Amino acid sequence: MRRLLPGALAALVLAAPAAAGELPVVRERLDNGVTLLVRANPAAPVVAVSLLVRMGTRWETAADGGLSNFVQAVMVTGTAKRNGGEIAEAITGLGGRLSANGDTDYSEIRGTALARFWRELLGLTAELALEPAFQPDQVQAQRDFLLARVQKRRDNPPTHAFDVFFATLYGTHPYGLPTLGTPESLARIDQAAIVAWYRRFYRPERMVLAVSGQVPAAEVTAEARRLFGGLPRGGTGDDAPLAAPKPAGGRTVVEQASQQTQILVGSLAPRVADRDYAAVKLLGTVLGGGQAGRLFVELRDKQALAYTVAAFFDPLREPGSFLVYMNTAPGNAARAEEALRREIERIRAERVSAPELLRAKAYLLGTFEMDRRTNARQAWYLAFFETLGVGHDFPARYRAAVEAVTAEDLLRVARSYLHPLTTVVLGPPPAR
Amino acid sequence: MCVRVRPLVVTALLLLLACGGVARGEDPGRPRPERHVLGNGVVLIVQEQRASEVVALQLWMRVGGRDEAPDELGLSHYLEHMLFKGTPTRPPGSIDRMVEGVGGQDNAFTSYDFTHFDLLLPAGQAAAGIALLADIAVNASFDQAELDRERLVVLDEVRLTEDDPDRFLARRLSEEAYRPTSYGRPILGTPEQIRALTREQLARYYHKHYVPKNMSLVVVGAVDPGLIRRAADDAFGRLRGPDSPRAPMPPPPDLGGRSVDVPRPEKQAYLGLAFKAPAVADPDAAATDLFTYILGDSPSSRLSVVVRDRLALVSAVEAGYVTRQRGGLVTVTARLEPENLDRAEAAILAEIRRLQQDGVGEAERQRAIITAEANYAFDIETAEGLARDYGEAETNWTLAEELGYLTRLRQTTAAQIQAAARKYFGEYARVRFVPEAGAR
């Protein structure tokens, strides 16, 4: 493959599709606060469901880190009606997949199926979310799986480097916590903690259910209303604001046996709802978007310093993180890091040319349109933007914002956001 | 290296490539592509698909790792890297700028049986994309400076694969199972060969294999097939070149006694088993496909239920069907604690024996067929997914067989699945990744 990004780090590329190609979305807020979003899409005989709940590492501490993801992991292993094996058989029988995980600002249950089974898929999703069994033996079994996954993340140089980077950048802010938790926090979390966490967050006001596929929208809405409408209200669903992180910058070196050295350099960035969000997305695209991005051209094509070079800036409710990433042969690491810094300095010093800005806009908008073509991505995007508080129709406004960004805007956001820089270098110890 | 392989789910996705079998007819309700053979032998496959305003354009080449002589290892893959670098009329960097400047994407993949070059563009750019693919198919410049820089990138890719235990296990397992045939050689080449590779060597290989009769152009998207045919005639119809028949391959080797332990820095161990399986166009492929789904494709598959959930011997286990033109493999891979290596292997083998002796249930068979149907339905959600199905079918077996594959799967009986299980699951090759001293 010409390009390879670490799988666990799949970047969320954000832009907006051509408005003309947009299919209508039915949005309904149930009386109890659950938000429904349904998009009928005739393209292929499949359906995807995404149920997002405002529960995630944002509400966790180091002591109970990983709790949201733990809840989700146990949730799919049994309900009041079925055990894990029966659930797995049921979903396979629909031609689908079903999984759940915790993330930073939300937790998700997502499922897919052949379209003719949409009713069964919706029913299964509701059963998992509303009638979980949380059996103690499943808590223990999932803890073992999660501990193995934590180990795998630490063994894998790229994912380990990203975890170190976020911990360093965010400090005590919960965005610095690993979504999976740590061996210590996972050991501490018991069945009672899982049930309490579930009851605190699985409230109708905190839920968004999105469906996309070859389905009848009115019937899907009615069925969703029937399944979720009976849930009693639980409060306002509002969250107290968090204190903003204050990174000091600096350079952290981690030694780990590996063939390649990982280099990450970055800083804090705007919230998804901030005015500068679109401009910083474009900044990331000029630097690390695609094979015509500056990092790919300068560091890989011209200097052959790295196989993977990329910029990451994911939309978050609280301040996001902007980072450029590369991995390189250990012997090239010093030169590569210097070259990376030079590119950051350059974009803070010089105005981006008009053709470069045009390419970046086309790439950013085009990649997003490409990314939103499957029903699974559509269902997730709809629920995700709604959950983040910017509305499922955010893409249209965002598109306009991207198109309005000027070279002056880029220079301004580069200067205001790209410092102080936090650097993490992870690689083999120097040869003796 | 294989299409559609994401680093963390190698075997599951290999399974999606499984296709073959003998079609009695086409699957009902399935949209039909047009297939044309141009005068010079280039095959054109076109399908109009209006799901979104994009077009997938893919050039499939009937050349890959298996066509390399021992002193040519890695050349197919090196070409994958070099072709988008430029031609006499397209200077280095201009192709990426052109594609990304319209919001499109380009990428390329190398396998043992084929190499393909993919564009995803706004539908209005289809003709420009076809012209671009025809240009790089025969006019690549191989600029010396570009070639030298790319050497370091490819060496990085070799190391990167080694750092990822899932990918590296899949690769080592297939190398162990296929050696000494050309399917068992490193597809990226060896670091020594990559360092020593010359422009002349690369150009010779390119001109030998990148000839019209080895080319298939697949176009799927919001396009008018008539216009695409004219654009393909203009760009590809005038290409000329000699035939380049493939060298015969010896039959796949027996797998008994093939076992290797690799010390690794990870703290968990990895276990990989590979069994000989039918080639992609073999009549037994459909039964093997279903067998693999039942064995280890999902959380309700037998290996997950027994070896992971009930016996708790592994943290993850999957089965996959590696479909190649001249002989396939069914692989079982697991991630586990090192002290469980022997017991997990025994449990996996016991589960396979149970399938061989007792066969599969009707409910299991139905679920496997629905899974296959769903894999196809999810493939065709995107233009590039459908184009890949067609391109691989045209290159590795036939488009007609691909179009009837689901029908063939539905007709496969439980007895045929059991017969395939008995026929193929005997001796196996084994690769284990074992934490090196000090890792724990």
Side-chain angles (χ1 to χ4, degrees):
Chain A
M1 277 176 291
R2 299 183 70 215
R3 275 188 294 189
L4 180 72
L5 295 178
L9 313 167
L12 175 62
V13 196
L14 258 196
E22 207 70 26
L23 291 166
V25 175
V26 177
R27 181 183 186 279
E28 183 174 318
R29 189 90 196 254
L30 303 189
D31 289 343
N32 62 0
V34 174
T35 305
L36 300 181
L37 298 159
V38 183
R39 178 179 173 272
N41 171 18
V46 298
V47 60
V49 169
S50 175
L51 175 68
L52 262 53
V53 177
R54 266 185 287 139
M55 168 181 98
T57 35
R58 183 214 178 279
W59 293 272
E60 295 171 1
T61 64
D64 60 15
L67 190 42
S68 304
N69 185 63
F70 205 157
V71 165
Q72 300 293 103
V74 182
M75 187 172 268
V76 292
T77 63
T79 68
K81 295 173 190 151
R82 284 185 258 214
N83 67 30
E86 288 163 341
I87 293 167
E89 264 184 28
I91 189 68
T92 309
L94 309 180
R97 302 259 166 179
L98 208 142
S99 62
N101 70 296
D103 207 304
T104 313
D105 287 329
Y106 64 90
S107 295
E108 181 184 28
I109 301 175
R110 64 181 159 272
T112 56
L114 287 167
R116 63 178 185 269
F117 298 127
W118 68 263
R119 200 178 288 274
E120 289 84 349
L121 178 65
L122 213 51
L124 196 52
T125 308
E127 186 182 324
L128 291 170
L130 306 182
E131 303 172 75
F134 294 129
Q135 297 283 1
D137 59 327
Q138 285 302 332
V139 172
Q140 186 53 44
Q142 288 305 314
R143 191 197 326 274
D144 292 342
F145 286 132
L146 290 170
L147 287 169
R149 283 182 57 199
V150 169
Q151 189 60 57
K152 187 176 158 70
R153 266 191 87 81
R154 287 194 180 181
D155 280 345
N156 181 280
T159 51
H160 188 197
F162 272 73
D163 285 348
V164 172
F165 178 84
F166 291 126
T168 312
L169 180 73
Y170 283 105
T172 56
H173 188 281
Y175 278 3
L177 299 171
T179 309
L180 287 177
T182 60
E184 299 72 35
S185 67
L186 291 174
R188 210 176 289 126
I189 296 168
D190 58 9
Q191 197 247 7
I194 283 176
V195 171
W197 200 253
Y198 167 79
R199 288 193 177 139
R200 177 176 159 196
F201 290 100
Y202 267 74
R203 304 285 190 166
E205 299 86 347
R206 306 184 74 85
M207 293 184 189
V208 180
L209 177 72
V211 181
S212 179
Q214 209 177 71
V215 292
E219 284 179 49
V220 170
T221 312
E223 180 69 3
R225 215 182 283 133
R226 188 181 74 77
L227 291 166
F228 288 89
L231 212 55
R233 299 190 71 98
T236 65
D238 289 341
D239 298 301
L242 292 173
K246 292 202 166 45
R251 189 169 181 278
T252 305
V253 177
V254 181
E255 288 188 358
Q256 178 169 348
S258 56
Q259 296 289 318
Q260 290 283 83
T261 295
Q262 318 292 320
I263 303 171
L264 292 81
V265 180
S267 60
L268 280 187
R271 299 171 172 82
V272 64
D274 286 348
R275 200 175 53 95
D276 287 339
Y277 179 76
V280 178
K281 282 304 290 187
L282 270 173
L283 193 65
T285 311
V286 169
L287 277 177
Q291 304 181 50
R294 284 186 180 184
L295 297 177
F296 201 94
V297 170
E298 295 296 326
L299 274 60
R300 175 163 156 168
D301 279 352
K302 291 195 184 158
Q303 302 181 54
L305 285 171
Y307 180 72
T308 307
V309 286
F312 293 86
F313 172 38
D314 289 348
L316 291 167
R317 208 177 171 113
E318 307 285 337
S321 59
F322 181 97
L323 74 101
V324 287
Y325 163 72
M326 66 191 296
N327 68 51
T328 183
N332 284 338
R335 270 173 60 218
E337 186 181 340
E338 197 192 312
L340 201 58
R341 284 177 190 288
R342 260 202 312 276
E343 288 306 319
I344 292 175
E345 279 317 305
R346 189 176 138 211
I347 207 160
R348 298 187 69 217
E350 295 168 17
R351 193 165 283 123
V352 171
S353 74
E356 207 176 359
L357 183 59
L358 269 180
R359 181 210 73 92
K361 286 180 180 179
Y363 182 78
L364 189 57
L365 297 170
T367 322
F368 183 56
E369 183 168 3
M370 302 292 180
D371 189 47
R372 288 173 75 227
R373 292 174 302 140
T374 68
N375 287 293
R377 295 299 285 164
Q378 273 289 350
W380 178 81
Y381 271 119
L382 289 173
F384 173 71
F385 289 134
E386 194 74 23
T387 303
L388 251 51
V390 292
H392 75 273
D393 52 355
F394 177 70
R397 292 191 300 283
Y398 178 65
R399 174 193 177 80
V402 167
E403 281 172 350
V405 171
T406 64
E408 283 69 30
D409 293 332
L410 281 190
L411 195 59
R412 177 179 57 78
V413 297
R415 285 176 177 166
S416 56
Y417 288 99
L418 296 188
H419 81 98
L421 293 176
T422 296
T423 301
V424 168
V425 178
L426 182 146
R432 283 170 213 182
Chain B
M1 177 156 294
C2 183
V3 290
R4 275 183 291 178
V5 169
R6 288 185 312 193
L8 302 177
V9 283
V10 175
T11 50
L13 287 167
L14 284 173
L15 189 60
L16 298 183
L17 303 178
C19 276
V22 176
R24 299 260 161 87
E26 289 183 12
D27 301 327
R30 189 166 175 164
R32 251 195 86 93
E34 290 180 19
R35 180 178 181 277
H36 306 281
V37 183
L38 309 189
N40 57 2
V42 173
V43 172
L44 169 67
I45 296 170
V46 194
Q47 185 166 315
E48 183 174 350
Q49 191 206 52
R50 298 269 166 195
S52 64
E53 289 302 307
V54 303
V55 61
L57 303 153
Q58 300 180 358
L59 173 64
W60 282 72
M61 296 301 313
R62 204 168 278 117
V63 59
R66 73 179 247 203
D67 302 294
E68 295 162 358
D71 62 347
E72 295 177 330
L73 300 191
L75 291 188
S76 304
H77 174 253
Y78 216 92
L79 285 178
E80 177 210 302
H81 279 248
M82 289 304 295
L83 259 57
F84 282 122
K85 292 279 177 196
T87 66
T89 53
R90 300 172 197 267
S94 67
I95 294 176
D96 288 335
R97 277 198 302 278
M98 167 195 152
V99 170
E100 293 179 358
V102 297
Q105 297 167 11
D106 61 62
N107 213 336
F109 300 85
T110 310
S111 171
Y112 285 90
D113 291 319
F114 51 77
T115 310
H116 60 102
F117 300 85
D118 302 359
L119 297 175
L120 194 58
L121 298 175
Q125 300 291 326
I130 289 170
L132 166 61
L133 288 175
D135 192 21
I136 65 170
V138 293
N139 295 325
S141 302
F142 305 126
D143 177 271
Q144 185 67 51
E146 292 287 323
L147 190 143
D148 288 334
R149 278 194 291 264
E150 205 61 17
R151 216 184 290 277
L152 303 175
V153 173
V154 174
L155 288 168
D156 270 352
E157 189 177 353
V158 173
R159 281 188 295 268
L160 199 64
T161 305
E162 276 192 45
D163 273 349
D164 183 330
D166 293 290
R167 281 161 55 89
F168 195 53
L169 179 66
R171 182 159 299 175
R172 287 291 287 113
L173 189 57
S174 113
E175 287 170 5
E176 189 61 22
Y178 282 117
R179 73 177 160 77
T181 73
S182 54
Y183 279 162
R185 297 180 189 146
I187 196 151
L188 301 181
T190 64
E192 297 69 40
Q193 280 172 309
I194 294 166
R195 283 190 202 101
L197 178 151
T198 65
R199 182 173 185 274
E200 290 65 35
Q201 197 184 12
L202 194 66
R204 201 180 323 121
Y205 188 82
Y206 173 66
H207 292 303
K208 178 176 175 197
H209 293 286
Y210 280 62
V211 294
K213 286 220 166 86
N214 282 343
M215 296 176 188
S216 302
L217 174 68
V218 186
V219 180
V220 177
V223 292
D224 172 353
L227 292 178
I228 294 302
R229 192 168 175 189
R230 278 198 289 285
D233 266 331
D234 284 350
F236 279 89
R238 57 184 141 154
L239 305 186
R240 293 290 172 265
D243 281 9
S244 177
R246 288 189 127 157
M249 270 185 77
D254 291 330
L255 299 183
R258 293 175 181 235
S259 172
V260 58
D261 283 2
V262 183
R264 292 278 302 180
E266 291 87 19
K267 294 192 173 59
Q268 281 200 298
Y270 288 75
L271 172 65
L273 310 177
F275 301 84
K276 222 191 267 193
V280 66
D282 191 290
D284 285 337
T288 306
D289 209 358
L290 292 175
F291 178 90
T292 312
Y293 283 127
I294 291 166
L295 189 65
D297 174 61
S298 78
S300 70
S301 300
R302 291 203 177 185
L303 292 177
S304 290
V305 169
V306 176
V307 184
R308 192 191 67 167
D309 297 344
R310 193 182 309 153
L311 302 175
L313 290 172
V314 299
S315 350
V317 60
E318 280 177 314
Y321 184 8
V322 180
T323 54
R324 295 212 184 129
Q325 201 180 35
R326 309 291 300 167
L329 293 177
V330 169
T331 62
V332 175
T333 55
R335 178 162 52 85
L336 68 172
E337 296 306 318
E339 57 270 24
N340 289 335
L341 272 168
D342 291 336
R343 285 166 63 212
E345 182 175 336
I348 290 165
L349 295 175
E351 216 33 54
I352 292 173
R353 265 197 306 277
R354 201 162 70 82
L355 266 166
Q356 289 171 322
Q357 283 162 12
D358 304 342
V360 303
E362 180 53 22
E364 266 181 324
R365 190 189 76 94
Q366 287 291 351
R367 277 202 303 275
I369 289 170
I370 285 183
T371 304
E373 190 189 340
N375 281 343
Y376 169 73
F378 284 103
D379 271 0
I380 65 167
E381 269 194 293
T382 61
E384 67 272 29
L386 189 55
R388 269 193 295 255
D389 279 1
Y390 291 162
E392 195 182 347
E394 177 63 34
T395 310
N396 256 11
W397 61 106
T398 68
L399 187 61
E401 281 167 335
E402 158 72 11
L403 295 174
Y405 187 61
L406 285 179
T407 303
R408 171 81 186 136
L409 272 183
R410 289 194 193 101
Q411 290 165 349
T412 303
T413 64
Q416 286 171 315
I417 297 172
Q418 187 178 10
R422 288 181 169 169
K423 184 170 168 186
Y424 292 101
F425 288 85
E427 293 178 331
Y428 58 92
R430 182 180 82 181
V431 175
R432 308 195 297 186
F433 287 176
V434 185
E436 58 203 5
R440 288 184 69 76

